C-alpha cells in the first residue's frame, strides 16, 4: 500500500501502534466484508479497526456494510469493540449517527491542517497507546540539578543544599551556623 | 502487590435500604441503575469506608452528616475490604451512632487525600473541577494546584532550601537565629560612635592641658620667673616647692595683730587725763565726803535713834548705817504700819465678840423657857392616844346594836346617844389629840436643837474674848507703834537728802579712781609702740609725732609686705594645684589614646568579620535565588512537559475535532510560589481564552474529566484506582465512544482498577462491551442496582470472564 494515500497513512500509524493487519477480505462468521484495510489490536485491546475512504465509497453503502459487520460480530458472540476510521470527506450527520450506533467512528476527514500528521494522530489518539509522563524523571533531573545549585559559590554556602533533605529548619540552622561561624572570632576576644 | 478494592457491604446508607454486598474484585466494575437507585450512594460508601468521611458531599452540603443514614432506618453501616495495601488492615467498618457515621477509614490520611483528589471523581466535583483548579487568589499559596505541584515534583528539598534561606533575604530575620552576627553588626556602629566620642574627648583634653600650662606659666610670672618659663625645668619646680615665705608671713601676721591690739588700747585711752581734770575731780570728791559727814552727824543720828527704839519691837529691821537710809526707812515704815494695823483689828474684833456674847446669852434664856412651856403642854395629852384610836376603830365594825362588844353591857343605860356614834366621837377625839401631840413633840425637838446651836456658838465666842490684861497690853503697843510711824514719816526728807549725799560721794570717788588708772596705761602703750619701729626697722616715733599716726604708718607697712608675700604664696599654691591636675590629665590622655587605638583595632577586626558574614549572606541570597529559579524552571517544565502534555493528549482523545485545547499557563513571576491559570491553546498554535469561555458545555465537561485523569496520571499512583460517577452527562456519542476507549486503555494498558457508575442503559451496555475482558484473567463486573417491591435495594451482579475471540481471524 502506498503511504501517500490517507488509508495508507492511517494504516501505517496503527501498525506502528501495535495493531496487526487482518488479511483482506475481512471474514466474520463466514461472511466477507470488503474494506480498504482492517486491523485488530494486540492482547490488551481487542479492537477491530476498519478503515474506509468515503472518497471512493458511498456513505449509504458504508453504513450498511458496517451494520453488517456489527451484526456478524454479534452473531459470532464476539466482544471486539468495533472502530471505523473514515478517510476522505466527512459523512453527513445522519450517516455518522447511523454508523456510531454500531461502532466507534473516527471521521478524520480531509486533512487540511498544515500538520496533517498531527491532526491525524489526534483523530486516532484514542486508538494509540497512552504514553504517561515519567513521573520520576523530572525529580531525578531536579535532584541532579539541585546538587549543582551551589556551583561557583563558597563551599560553606554551596553546602547548604545538603541539609535541605532534612527540611527547612535544618537549612535555616545551617545558614545561621555559617553566618555565626564567620563572626565567631568576635566572640573569642570578647569584642562583642 | 497492586492495591485493589475487593468488596463493599452497605447497610441503610443514604438511598440504599437494607444490606447489600457489592463485589469489586475486578479490573473494571460497571454500575448501572436508574436515577435515585443508589449508584452515587455506593460510591459515597466506598469513600466513607476508605477515608472515614465523605468529602465529595461535604463540598456541596456542610450538613451532609445528618443525612447519611437512610431516612427509614435507625442506624447504618459501611464496611469495605481492600487488598494489597501494605501496613494497613484489609477491612474497615464504619457504623453510625445516633444517625451519624464516625470512625476511622481504612486509608492513612495521606492516602485519603490522594484518594479524594486523584482517584474519586464525584459528580459534584466534576462540575467544579476547573473552578477548583483555576487559581483565583494569588495570595493563596496552598491552593490545590500548589499542593499538586509539590506532590508531582517532590519539590520539598528545593522548598526547604528556599524557605531555609529566607532569613538571608533580610538581616533583621537573623536577629534571633544568628545572635552573634547580629551583635557584631550592632557593635560596629557603636564602636564607630565610641571612637568619635573618644576622639572628641581627646581634643577637649588637649585644650585643657594647654590652658593649664599657660596658667602655671602665668603664676610663675607672678612668682618672679621670666616669661614662658618651662614649667618642668628644675628651677621652676624648686620655686614651686619652696615654702620660704611662710615664717615671715607668720611673723608679719603676729605683728599685725599686735599693732592692732595697741591701736585698740590706744583708742580707749586716747582722751588723756589733764591735771586740771584731776583737781576738779578731787575737789568734788572732798565736798561730797564733807556733806555726807554732816548728814551723818545730824539726821543720820536721829534716824539711828528711831531704829534703836524700834529694835525692841522688831529685831530684824535693816540698819540704816549699813544699808541705804531710804531703804531702811521704807522697810521700817512698812513693818510698823502692818503691825499697827494688825493690833487695831484684833482690838476691834474683841469689841464685836463681847457684844455678840451678850446677845447669845439672852437668846438662850428665851429658848429654855419655851421648851419648858412645850413640855408642859405635851404632858396634858395621853401618850398612847393614837394606838387607842386605832384599836377602837377596829372594834367599830363589831358594834351592831347598843350592846357593847367589849363588855356586853347595854349602852342605853349610859347615854341617849347610840353606841356607834359615841365610839366614832371618841375615835376622832383621840385621833385629834394624837395629831397635836405629834406637832408639839416636833416643836420641842427643834427648840432643843437651836438651843444647842446657840450654846455651842456662845462657847466659841467666850473662848475668843480677850482677857483684860491682854487687851491693855495691846492698847499700849498700838500707842507706841503710832509714835514710831509718825517719827518715820517726819524723818523722810532728811533720809532722802542723806541718800543723795551718799551717792554723790561714791560717784566722785569712782571718777577720781578711773582718771588715775588711765594715766598709767598711756605711758605703757607708748613704750610698746616704740618697740614696733625697732622690729619693723622703721623710723622711730618722733617726739612730735602723734602715736596714732605712727601706728598707722606701721600698720600700712605690715599689710603691704604681707600682701605681696601672700600673693606670691597663693600663686605658688595655685600653680602647684595646676601642676598636679596637669599630671592627672596627662594620665587620662594616655588612657584615652590607648582606648581609641583599641577600639579602632576592634572595629577593623569586626568589620572584617562582618564582611565575611555579609559575603556569605549575599551568597546565600544568590543560592536562594538560584533555587527559586530552579524551582520555577522545574515547575514550568513539568507543567509543560508533563501535565499539559498529558492533559492535551487525553483531551484530544476525547474531543479530536475540538480546535482548542485546555492547558495550564504559567505566568512569568519573579520566583516565589508557582501560579498557574487555565487557558486554551489553539491546536495549530496561538492562545485562546479561558476554557469556560472557549469550550462548549460538553467539551468543558471533557476538559474537567481529562484534567482529573491528567492529575491522576501525572503522579505516581499511590492508589491505582479510578472511581467515576456518571461522567458522561453532557457528552455526545462521539465523546462517549472515545471515553470508553480511554477507560479501556487505562484499565488494560495501565492497570488502573476502574469503577464507573452510569445511569443510561445503552451507555452501560456499550461500556460493558468495550470494557469486556480482553485477555486471560481479565474480568469485568457489571452491577445493576434496583429496588424490590418493599423498597429494599437489590443488587444484580454479573461477572464476565475472558473468552478467546473466534470471530475475526487475526
Amino acid at each position: 500500500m502506498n503511504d501517500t494515500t490517507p488509508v495508507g497513512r492511517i494504516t501505517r500509524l496503527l501498525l506502528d501502534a501495535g495493531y496487526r493487519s487482518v488479511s483482506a477480505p475481512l471474514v466474520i462468521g463466514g461472511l466477507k466484508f470488503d474494506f480498504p484495510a482492517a486491523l485488530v489490536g494486540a492482547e490488551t485491546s481487542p479492537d477491530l479497526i476498519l478503515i474506509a475512504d468515503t472518497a471512493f465509497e458511498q456513505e449509504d453503502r458504508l453504513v450498511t456494510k458496517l451494520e453488517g459487520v456489527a451484526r456478524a460480530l454479534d452473531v459470532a458472540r464476539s466482544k471486539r469493540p468495533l472502530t471505523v476510521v473514515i478517510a476522505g470527506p466527512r459523512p453527513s450527520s445522519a450517516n455518522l449517527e447511523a454508523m456510531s450506533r454500531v461502532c466507534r467512528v473516527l471521521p478524520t476527514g480531509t486533512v487540511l491542517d498544515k500538520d496533517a500528521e498531527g491532526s491525524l494522530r489526534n483523530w486516532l489518539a484514542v486508538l494509540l497507546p497512552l504514553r504517561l509522563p515519567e513521573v520520576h524523571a523530572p525529580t531525578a533531573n531536579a535532584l541532579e540539578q539541585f546538587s549543582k545549585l551551589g556551583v561557583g559559590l563558597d563551599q560553606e554556602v554551596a553546602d547548604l543544599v545538603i541539609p535541605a533533605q532534612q527540611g527547612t529548619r535544618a537549612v535555616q540552622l545551617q545558614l545561621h551556623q555559617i553566618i555565626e561561624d564567620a563572626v565567631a572570632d568576635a566572640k573569642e576576644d570578647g569584642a562583642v | 502487590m497492586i492495591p485493589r478494592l475487593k468488596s463493599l457491604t452497605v447497610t441503610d446508607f443514604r438511598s440504599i435500604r437494607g444490606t447489600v454486598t457489592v463485589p469489586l474484585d475486578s479490573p473494571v466494575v460497571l454500575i448501572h441503575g436508574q436515577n435515585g437507585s443508589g449508584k452515587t450512594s455506593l460510591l459515597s460508601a466506598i469513600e466513607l469506608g476508605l477515608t472515614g468521611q465523605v468529602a465529595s458531599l461535604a463540598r456541596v452540603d456542610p450538613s451532609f452528616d445528618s443525612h447519611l443514614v437512610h431516612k427509614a432506618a435507625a442506624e447504618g453501616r459501611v464496611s469495605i475490604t481492600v487488598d494489597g495495601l501494605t501496613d494497613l488492615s484489609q477491612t474497615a467498618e464504619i457504623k453510625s451512632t445516633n444517625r451519624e457515621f464516625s470512625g476511622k477509614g481504612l486509608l492513612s490520611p495521606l492516602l485519603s487525600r490522594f484518594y479524594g483528589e486523584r482517584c474519586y471523581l464525584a459528580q459534584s466535583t466534576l462540575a467544579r473541577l476547573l473552578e477548583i483548579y483555576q487559581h483565583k487568589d494569588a495570595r493563596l499559596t496552598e491552593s490545590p494546584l500548589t499542593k499538586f505541584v509539590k506532590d508531582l515534583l517532590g519539590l520539598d528539598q528545593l522548598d526547604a532550601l528556599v524557605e531555609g534561606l529566607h532569613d538571608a533575604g533580610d538581616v533583621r530575620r537573623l536577629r534571633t537565629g544568628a545572635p552573634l552576627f547580629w551583635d557584631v553588626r550592632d557593635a560596629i556602629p557603636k564602636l564607630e560612635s565610641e571612637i568619635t566620642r573618644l576622639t572628641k574627648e581627646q581634643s577637649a583634653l588637649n585644650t585643657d592641658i594647654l590652658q593649664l600650662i599657660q596658667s602655671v606659666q602665668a603664676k610663675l610670672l607672678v612668682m618672679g620667673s621670666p616669661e614662658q618659663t618651662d614649667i618642668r625645668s628644675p628651677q621652676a619646680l624648686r620655686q614651686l616647692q619652696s615654702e620660704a615665705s611662710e615664717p615671715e608671713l607668720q611673723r608679719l601676721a603676729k605683728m599685725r595683730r599686735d599693732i592692732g591690739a595697741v591701736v585698740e588700747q590706744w583708742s580707749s585711752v586716747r582722751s588723756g587725763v589733764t591735771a586740771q581734770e584731776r583737781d576738779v575731780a578731787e575737789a568734788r570728791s572732798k565736798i561730797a565726803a564733807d556733806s555726807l559727814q554732816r548728814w551723818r552727824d545730824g539726821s543720820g543720828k536721829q534716824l539711828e535713834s528711831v531704829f534703836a527704839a524700834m529694835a525692841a519691837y522688831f529685831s530684824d529691821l535693816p540698819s540704816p548705817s549699813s544699808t541705804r537710809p531710804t531703804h531702811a526707812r521704807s522697810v521700817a515704815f512698812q513693818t510698823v504700819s502692818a503691825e499697827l494695823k494688825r493690833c487695831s483689828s484684833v482690838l476691834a474684833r474683841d469689841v464685836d465678840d463681847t457684844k455678840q456674847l451678850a446677845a447669845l446669852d439672852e437668846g438662850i434664856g428665851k429658848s429654855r423657857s419655851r421648851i419648858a412651856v412645850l413640855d408642859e403642854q405635851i404632858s396634858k395629852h395621853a401618850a398612847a392616844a393614837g394606838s387607842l384610836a386605832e384599836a377602837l376603830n377596829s372594834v367599830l365594825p363589831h358594834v351592831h346594836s347598843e350592846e357593847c362588844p367589849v363588855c356586853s353591857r347595854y349602852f342605853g343605860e349610859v347615854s341617849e346617844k347610840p353606841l356607834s356614834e359615841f365610839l366614832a366621837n371618841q375615835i376622832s377625839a383621840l385621833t385629834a389629840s394624837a395629831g397635836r401631840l405629834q406637832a408639839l413633840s416636833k416643836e420641842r425637838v427643834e427648840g432643843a436643837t437651836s438651843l444647842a446651836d446657840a450654846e455651842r456658838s456662845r462657847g466659841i465666842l467666850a473662848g475668843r474674848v480677850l482677857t483684860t490684861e491682854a487687851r491693855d497690853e495691846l492698847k499700849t503697843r498700838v500707842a507706841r507703834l503710832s509714835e514710831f510711824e509718825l517719827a518715820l514719816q517726819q524723818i523722810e526728807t532728811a533720809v532722802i537728802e542723806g541718800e543723795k549725799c551718799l551717792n554723790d560721794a561714791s560717784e566722785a570717788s569712782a571718777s577720781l579712781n578711773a582718771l588715775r588708772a588711765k594715766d598709767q596705761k598711756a605711758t605703757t602703750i607708748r613704750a610698746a609702740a616704740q618697740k614696733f619701729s625697732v622690729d619693723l626697722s622703721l623710723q622711730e616715733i618722733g617726739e612730735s609725732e602723734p602715736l596714732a599716726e605712727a601706728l598707722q604708718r606701721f600698720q600700712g607697712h605690715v599689710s603691704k609686705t604681707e600682701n605681696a608675700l601672700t600673693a606670691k604664696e597663693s600663686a605658688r599654691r595655685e600653680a602647684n594645684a595646676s601642676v598636679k591636675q596637669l599630671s592627672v590629665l596627662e594620665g587620662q590622655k594616655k588612657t584615652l589614646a590607648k582606648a581609641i587605638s583599641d577600639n579602632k583595632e576592634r572595629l577593623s577586626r569586626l568589620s572584617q568579620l562582618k564582611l565575611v558574614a555579609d559575603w556569605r549572606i549575599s551568597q546565600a541570597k544568590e543560592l536562594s535565588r538560584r533555587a527559586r529559579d530552579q524551582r520555577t524552571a522545574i515547575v514550568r517544565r513539568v507543567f509543560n512537559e508533563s501535565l499539559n502534555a498529558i492533559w492535551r493528549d487525553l483531551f484530544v482523545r476525547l474531543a479530536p475535532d475540538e480546535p482548542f485545547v485546555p492547558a495550564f499557563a504559567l505566568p512569568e513571576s519573579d520566583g516565589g510560589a508557582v501560579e498557574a491559570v487555565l487557558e486554551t491553546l489553539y491546536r495549530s498554535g496561538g492562545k485562546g481564552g479561558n476554557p469556560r469561555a472557549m469550550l462548549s458545555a460538553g467539551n468543558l465537561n471533557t476538559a474537567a474529566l481529562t484534567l482529573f485523569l491528567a492529575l491522576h496520571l501525572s503522579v505516581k499512583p499511590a492508589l491505582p484506582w479510578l472511581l467515576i460517577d456518571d461522567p458522561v452527562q453532557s457528552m455526545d456519542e462521539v465523546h462517549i465512544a472515545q471515553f470508553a476507549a480511554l477507560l479501556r486503555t487505562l484499565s488494560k494498558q495501565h492497570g488502573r482498577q476502574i469503577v464507573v457508575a452510569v445511569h443510561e442503559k445503552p451507555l452501560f451496555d456499550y461500556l460493558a462491551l468495550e470494557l469486556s475482558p480482553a485477555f486471560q484473567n481479565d474480568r469485568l463486573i457489571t452491577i445493576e442496582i434496583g429496588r424490590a417491591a418493599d423498597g429494599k435495594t437489590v443488587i444484580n451482579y454479573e461477572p464476565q470472564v475472558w473468552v478467546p475471540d473466534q470471530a475475526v481471524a487475526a
Side-chain angles (χ1 to χ4, degrees), chain B residues 156-316:
Chain B
D156 294 349
Q157 288 197 27
L158 269 177
D159 276 349
L161 190 60
V162 171
E163 292 293 314
L165 294 178
H166 178 68
D167 286 354
D170 190 338
V171 283
R172 278 170 296 184
R173 296 180 199 133
L174 291 169
R175 188 197 287 262
T176 49
L180 191 58
F181 168 70
W182 187 261
D183 288 347
V184 168
R185 203 176 154 277
D186 239 15
I188 287 173
K190 274 188 198 152
L191 270 179
E192 280 166 352
S193 72
E194 175 73 2
I195 288 170
T196 316
R197 187 182 70 76
L198 288 175
T199 313
K200 223 181 259 174
E201 213 170 285
Q202 196 180 32
S203 74
L205 203 57
N206 281 338
T207 317
D208 286 354
I209 288 172
L210 199 63
Q211 277 174 354
L212 269 178
I213 290 176
Q214 281 169 355
S215 98
V216 171
Q217 281 172 344
K219 294 291 183 320
L220 282 173
L221 201 62
V222 170
M223 290 166 68
S225 297
E227 253 181 80
Q228 300 295 325
T229 314
D230 177 7
I231 60 161
R232 305 250 180 253
S233 68
Q235 193 190 357
L237 287 176
R238 211 167 40 244
Q239 204 161 8
L240 285 174
Q241 278 160 8
S242 145
E243 294 187 353
S245 53
E246 195 57 31
E248 175 65 7
L249 261 179
Q250 280 171 3
R251 195 182 72 86
L252 282 172
K254 184 173 176 302
M255 204 87 131
R256 182 168 43 77
R257 275 198 305 278
D258 290 350
I259 295 174
V262 169
V263 169
E264 184 80 8
Q265 282 174 350
W266 179 245
S267 72
S268 72
V269 298
R270 171 179 300 223
S271 49
V273 179
T274 57
Q276 195 187 354
E277 273 177 318
R278 208 162 35 227
D279 289 348
V280 169
E282 275 170 2
R284 195 177 134 222
S285 170
K286 182 140 181 27
I287 290 165
D290 285 350
S291 62
L292 180 62
Q293 192 57 48
R294 263 200 312 281
W295 180 80
R296 277 200 175 126
D297 291 344
S299 307
K301 271 218 177 90
Q302 215 177 335
L303 188 63
E304 290 281 347
S305 69
V306 172
F307 269 79
M310 276 162 63
Y313 291 90
F314 308 106
S315 57
D316 56 348

Side-chain angles (χ1 to χ4, degrees), chain A residues 37-159:
Chain A
L39 301 100
V40 288
E43 194 176 55
T44 56
S45 67
D47 289 74
L48 173 60
I49 303 170
L50 304 174
I51 304 172
D53 193 341
T54 47
F56 298 101
E57 205 165 2
Q58 283 189 353
E59 294 174 20
D60 303 355
R61 274 189 53 78
L62 184 57
V63 171
T64 316
K65 210 155 56 174
L66 285 173
E67 282 169 350
V69 173
R71 176 86 184 118
L73 284 174
D74 279 354
V75 168
R77 292 189 160 275
S78 170
K79 292 200 169 176
R80 285 188 191 275
L82 182 60
T83 305
V84 62
V85 183
I86 299 174
R90 192 181 172 95
S92 70
S93 292
N95 284 333
L96 268 183
E97 174 114 25
M99 282 186 242
S100 59
R101 248 179 246 129
V102 296
C103 62
R104 178 188 296 123
V105 186
L106 301 177
T108 58
T110 305
V111 178
L112 298 172
D113 284 345
K114 283 176 199 160
D115 182 14
E117 172 83 9
S119 182
L120 191 59
R121 268 188 178 281
N122 285 346
W123 274 111
L124 297 181
V126 77
L127 298 175
L128 302 181
L130 177 62
R131 269 189 303 277
L132 295 185
E134 274 296 328
V135 286
H136 292 296
T139 315
N141 198 7
L143 271 180
E144 192 193 334
Q145 288 194 356
F146 183 71
S147 59
K148 287 181 187 162
L149 273 178
V151 170
L153 301 179
D154 284 1
Q155 194 57 43
E156 294 90 346
V157 180
D159 284 349

Side-chain angles (χ1 to χ4, degrees), chain A residues 1-15:
Chain A
M1 262 186 270
N2 196 338
D3 278 5
T4 55
T5 65
V7 174
R9 283 204 295 272
I10 292 165
T11 310
R12 183 80 258 148
L13 257 176
L14 290 175
L15 283 173

